[in-house]
């Protein structure tokens, strides 16, 4: 508490208007989602991707209930299957050839695995963003980003609600 009052006094001395959050949970939620989404998008380890997909699905089930979860996953699964099937048709990197396409290009095991991993990565990221959309309401976004750049905030809110 002493550190908070010291920072507040210093900021007020420098001429800044200081507002404190009631409990600080908005900042904690922001840090949590930034870390989880960042790790889910940039780590390609299959175990981490599977854990991230399961955790994001469980959290979305908790936040939206069974009906909202089924609706979200209902449109997500065909997109992910399409991504997983389409990747090996265009990515021919790999050593273990499974079969050849009629045009002579090979479909490799490594390309299939990479297609599955990238589909799981995309699915986990979309589910985490869906959870973030439930947790962060418009007023919480305004509270967090109001001091940084109001023009970007207004255009973000305009495009996210339309």
């Amino acid at each position: 508490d002493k550190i908070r009052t010291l920072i507040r006094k210093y900021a007020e001395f420098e001429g800044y208007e200081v507002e404190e959050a009631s409990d600080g949970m908005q900042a904690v939620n922001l840090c949590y989602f930034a870390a989880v989404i960042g790790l889910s998008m940039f780590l390609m380890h299959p175990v981490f991707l599977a854990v991230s997909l399961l955790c994001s699905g469980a959290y979305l089930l908790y936040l939206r209930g069974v009906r909202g979860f089924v609706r979200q996953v209902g449109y997500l699964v065909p997109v992910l299957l399409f991504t997983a099937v389409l990747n090996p048709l265009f990515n021919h990197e790999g050593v273990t050839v499974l079969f050849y396409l009629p045009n002579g290009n090979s479909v490799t095991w490594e390309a299939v695995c990479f297609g599955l991993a990238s589909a799981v990565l995309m699915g986990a990221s979309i589910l985490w963003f869906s959870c973030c959309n439930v947790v962060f309401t418009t007023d919480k976004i305004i509270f967090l980003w109001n001091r940084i750049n109001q023009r970007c905030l207004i255009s973000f809110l305009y495009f996210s609600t339309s």
Side-chain angles (χ1 to χ4, degrees), residues 141-142 145-146 148-160:
I141 293 172
I142 289 172
W145 298 105
N146 190 26
I148 296 174
N149 193 344
Q150 292 179 350
R151 289 184 195 144
C152 290
L153 174 68
I154 290 170
S155 38
F156 171 74
L157 290 175
Y158 174 75
F159 288 116
S160 67

Side-chain angles (χ1 to χ4, degrees), residues 73-89 112 115-120 122-123 126:
V73 172
Y75 81 84
L76 190 62
V77 168
V79 171
L80 298 182
L81 288 174
F82 180 71
T83 302
V85 168
L86 201 62
N87 185 61
L89 300 178
V112 170
L116 288 172
S118 61
V120 170
M122 187 169 71
I126 289 172

Side-chain angles (χ1 to χ4, degrees), residues 61-138:
L61 182 65
Y62 171 76
L63 290 173
R64 289 200 175 166
V66 175
R67 186 174 180 189
F69 176 77
V70 169
R71 185 176 53 218
Q72 180 80 25
V73 172
Y75 81 84
L76 190 62
V77 168
V79 171
L80 298 182
L81 288 174
F82 180 71
T83 302
V85 168
L86 201 62
N87 185 61
L89 300 178
F90 292 101
N91 181 4
H92 308 292
E93 300 295 325
V95 179
T96 312
V97 177
L98 297 177
F99 59 90
Y100 289 95
L101 297 173
N103 62 1
N105 290 330
S106 61
V107 174
T108 62
W109 176 248
E110 292 83 3
V112 170
C113 290
F114 185 76
L116 288 172
S118 61
V120 170
L121 181 145
M122 187 169 71
S125 300
I126 289 172
L127 289 179
W128 280 122
F129 275 112
S130 296
C131 293
C132 187
N133 192 25
V134 172
V135 171
F136 282 116
T137 57
T138 305

Side-chain angles (χ1 to χ4, degrees), residues 28-46:
V28 171
N29 284 335
L30 177 67
C31 292
Y32 172 75
F33 280 113
V36 168
I37 291 171
L39 289 173
S40 294
M41 290 175 68
F42 297 114
L43 291 179
M44 282 292 289
H45 195 279

